[in-house]
Amino acid sequence: MAFSNWCDTPVKERATYLLKLADKLEENLPELVALCHREAGKTVMDSIDEVREAVDFLRYYPTQAELAFTDPIEQAHFNGGMQQTQYEGVGVFVCISPWNFPLAIFIGQVSAALVAGNTVVAKPAEQTSLIAHRCIELLLETGLPNNVVQLLIGSGAQLGSTLTSDPRVAGVVFTGSTPTAQTINRQLAKRHTLPVPFIAETGGQNAMIVDSTALPEQVVRDVLRSAFASAGQRCSALRVLYVQQDIAARIIELIQGAMAQMQVGNPEYLSTDVGPVIDEKAQNRLLDHIQWLDQKAKFLARVSLPKSQKNSTFVAPCAYEIQSIEQLTEEHFGPILHVIQYKARDLDDVIKQINDSGFGLTLGVHSRNERTYRHIEAHAQVGNCYINRDQVGAVVGVQPFGGQGLSGTGPKAGGPHYLYRFAKACVSVNKDKEATS
Ligand code: NAP
């Protein structure tokens, strides 16, 4: 009943609730920033960016829905100009989100599913339940019928299989790690129902390639932001920096100097560059990897930790030189930079090694040689390739974001193809047939 009523609600009206929520998030910015500090350990700038991105999703998807679902010219663009199609929601959509973008990804998924005409069960990461709860409270204050969205708080390990094995689930959108996506995929496949849409946005083993024509100061600024912003807890974050041997010594020296200036500490202070990692479990996993690096790799740099660390989950941002990306068998989701030197003549082999990792999320390139960066861009199998800039912080509607291979199924979030995956085409009018009959 809730689904059929909501599905029959005009797109324009569905959109109104989300646009109102965007305004409410802006009005409640200080509270949401405080929640991001307290629950997710985000710095001031990261928290403001988090709310900004959530607002962007809440304005982009409703606008896009009106175009995608009602505008014949936009539809013709996507179906080859042949048909005018009516779209409607598919049913109950399960939205499962991670803690690292507790507001933006959480509400991004929910808003896309809702505006496309689905009812929603929203399962945020357990670590960031308060932020999700406050967001849904504000959503209900907009007047959204309260049987259209259900927040489900709890741990994924406990709720996950019950949720994704339920035959009433008509679609799942998931953002999180690749192994969890694979578990959900298996769970969905076991159901004795028709296959349903499964949109998964997952992890990466993101690299940056820096050749000898790059501007060193710009490289270092972008490496530090890409590797250490948000304590390296961004899916797009830089994990493996490939530097052409000829300039490696200079780049490494500059990275060491810049890291000596970084401040790790309480994320509520403006002076803090890097806050804690999400919890003790994540901290221990990262410290284990650093221990492994201490034995197997060449130490390059480490940022000092604050003196008082009682009950804290800081991980000091660090950099190590390794021999090959193959030494990294999984994504290390924290402030750890791996550096590899390469010879100019081996550039194609570098691209192949990156592609062979199986992940394909982001790639950074620093080069002032247009032929080189166009060559890399053409051959790298990644969702988002950034040239002569950092590789984090994709902007909704401007830089649609998503990976390929082990990094995601697509379509990209914040892009024009996304909403179609949440809806089904139900009535088509073939214009050519009409014209000739
Ligand atoms: P995660 O452990 O895979 O968890 C993601 C979500 O899945 C959480 O809500 C989690 O709940 C839930 N979950 C866990 N097991 C489940 C199961 N069996 N069935 C259903 N749901 C289950 O990932 P995370 O540690 O929160 O987030 C970090 C990961 O997300 C990284 O790998 C990062 O690269 C990736 N990420 C990707 C993107 C992208 O756009 N590609 C964006 C952001 C993050 P609980 O937390 O309550 O267990």
Side-chain angles (χ1 to χ4, degrees):
M1 188 66 178
F3 168 64
S4 58
N5 286 345
W6 180 246
C7 192
D8 289 343
T9 305
V11 178
K12 208 174 178 58
E13 192 182 325
R14 296 199 298 252
T16 320
Y17 300 110
L18 302 171
L19 294 170
K20 279 189 198 158
L21 177 60
D23 295 342
K24 279 184 175 291
L25 294 192
E26 285 183 333
E27 285 157 21
N28 290 278
L29 179 78
E31 182 196 356
L32 294 167
V33 165
L35 276 172
C36 287
H37 288 321
R38 289 296 165 103
E39 214 184 15
K42 286 191 174 251
T43 59
V44 178
M45 202 57 233
D46 282 348
S47 303
I48 294 170
D49 288 349
E50 176 80 22
V51 181
R52 178 75 265 148
E53 190 178 344
V55 169
D56 287 350
F57 277 128
L58 286 164
R59 297 201 171 126
Y60 178 74
Y61 289 139
T63 314
Q64 196 61 32
E66 285 192 50
L67 277 173
F69 299 150
T70 59
D71 183 60
I73 298 172
E74 179 74 8
Q75 290 187 0
H77 177 70
F78 282 98
N79 61 27
M82 296 295 288
Q83 292 173 324
Q84 189 177 336
T85 308
Q86 246 176 34
Y87 289 90
E88 60 180 39
V90 293
V92 180
F93 230 95
V94 171
C95 301
I96 304 174
S97 49
W99 48 263
N100 71 327
F101 285 97
L103 186 64
I105 291 183
F106 172 74
I107 201 61
Q109 294 178 344
V110 169
S111 58
L114 284 177
V115 82
N118 305 285
T119 48
V120 163
V121 176
K123 153 72 188 91
E126 199 182 17
Q127 294 97 324
T128 51
S129 303
L130 291 177
I131 299 172
H133 184 263
R134 183 67 184 126
C135 183
I136 294 294
E137 262 181 1
L138 292 170
L139 178 58
L140 293 177
E141 280 177 21
T142 66
L144 181 93
N146 63 10
N147 57 2
V148 163
V149 59
Q150 176 64 52
L151 180 67
L152 196 62
I153 301 280
S155 105
Q158 281 171 357
L159 299 174
S161 71
T162 312
L163 196 56
T164 51
S165 60
D166 193 303
R168 292 167 296 180
V169 167
V172 177
V173 55
F174 166 82
T175 307
S177 63
T178 308
T180 309
Q182 288 163 334
T183 304
I184 296 172
N185 196 25
R186 282 192 293 270
Q187 200 69 46
L188 288 173
K190 274 194 226 155
R191 302 181 325 156
H192 295 288
T193 60
L194 288 174
V196 295
F198 176 42
I199 306 159
E201 290 152 17
T202 52
Q205 196 64 277
N206 311 307
M208 180 187 279
I209 302 175
V210 176
D211 82 356
S212 60
T213 68
L215 187 64
E217 290 75 12
Q218 195 188 343
V219 169
V220 172
R221 185 197 65 191
D222 293 343
V223 165
L224 259 60
R225 177 163 158 72
S226 301
F228 303 135
S230 313
Q233 300 172 113
R234 290 176 180 236
C235 50
S236 50
L238 169 62
R239 309 288 176 210
V240 185
L241 172 66
Y242 282 90
V243 193
Q244 192 178 318
Q245 217 170 41
D246 313 73
I247 55 155
R250 175 81 182 127
I251 296 281
I252 289 170
E253 189 192 347
L254 287 175
I255 288 176
Q256 288 166 329
M259 283 176 70
Q261 300 301 312
M262 285 173 65
Q263 291 218 21
V264 179
N266 185 336
E268 290 175 16
Y269 299 148
L270 276 169
S271 56
T272 296
D273 299 307
V274 176
V277 298
I278 187 69
D279 57 22
E280 214 178 294
K281 201 169 139 200
Q283 182 189 35
N284 288 335
R285 261 203 309 258
L286 292 163
L287 293 179
D288 282 351
H289 180 58
I290 291 173
Q291 210 173 35
W292 178 86
L293 285 167
D294 278 329
Q295 287 160 15
K296 304 279 179 198
K298 182 176 165 194
F299 172 77
L300 298 177
R302 175 171 296 127
V303 177
S304 319
L305 286 181
K307 285 199 181 78
S308 154
Q309 292 180 46
K310 215 170 155 208
N311 299 327
S312 74
T313 54
F314 293 118
V315 172
C318 55
Y320 286 83
E321 187 174 335
I322 58 171
Q323 295 307 311
S324 159
I325 195 170
E326 284 172 16
Q327 291 176 271
L328 306 174
T329 51
E330 57 181 322
E331 178 191 33
H332 296 285
F333 206 61
I336 304 172
L337 175 67
H338 308 91
V339 180
I340 299 176
Q341 298 192 30
Y342 74 93
K343 293 195 175 79
R345 63 166 184 267
D346 295 336
L347 179 62
D348 282 335
D349 192 42
V350 166
I351 301 169
K352 184 174 178 310
Q353 286 169 27
I354 295 168
N355 289 342
D356 285 350
S357 76
F359 289 100
L361 195 53
T362 66
L363 175 74
V365 183
H366 267 275
S367 170
R368 281 182 282 185
N369 183 333
E370 187 176 351
R371 221 170 125 172
T372 304
Y373 65 67
R374 293 225 177 275
H375 176 80
I376 297 172
E377 189 190 18
H379 292 88
Q381 291 157 10
V382 293
N384 288 50
C385 183
Y386 299 102
I387 295 163
N388 293 330
R389 52 154 284 180
D390 63 76
Q391 64 195 86
V392 292
V395 176
V396 174
V398 181
Q399 291 140 353
F401 185 79
Q404 53 178 284
L406 294 174
S407 296
T409 57
K412 291 185 175 191
H417 299 266
Y418 195 60
L419 289 180
Y420 291 109
R421 198 78 184 106
F422 290 81
K424 63 176 184 231
C426 47
V427 180
S428 298
V429 182
N430 187 316
K431 284 182 181 165
D432 284 356
K433 267 193 192 159
E434 270 186 342
T436 52
S437 60

